[in-house]
Amino acid sequence: MHSDELIKLLSDSGSKDLSSSLQWINPIPEDASALLEKIDMALSIVKFSQSRRAEEGKETSTNHLDSLIRLRSEINGILGKS
């Protein structure tokens, strides 16, 4: 499936999560499976960044992480994956 088709199928909250996650996944790949791979990579980066900030004793926000997790979950649901 193409990413543009997939994006049209997102719920309102999924679209908001996509919008807030664009800094991590732009440019959006054409293929939906490549988009999922990019989201997984972004999740790894955000988790690493949060763990580093926690080690430094700085507060971390989970907003980006939560948005990426919800987005990945919704996309997997649309594609019929677990």
Side-chain angles (χ1 to χ4, degrees), residues 32-33 36 72-73 75-82:
S33 61
L36 275 174
R72 180 181 62 180
S73 178
I75 291 172
N76 278 331
I78 291 170
L79 296 176
K81 296 181 178 180
S82 56

Side-chain angles (χ1 to χ4, degrees), residues 23-62:
Q23 70 181 17
W24 299 102
I25 57 177
N26 257 341
I28 295 175
E30 287 186 32
D31 184 63
S33 61
L35 176 59
L36 275 174
E37 289 175 16
K38 208 163 187 183
I39 291 170
D40 286 338
M41 187 183 322
L43 278 165
S44 296
I45 293 167
V46 171
K47 286 177 186 176
F48 176 77
S49 174
Q50 288 181 343
S51 70
R52 292 297 304 236
R53 289 184 60 82
E55 286 176 7
E56 295 169 356
K58 297 179 182 174
E59 276 192 43
T60 60
S61 168
T62 61

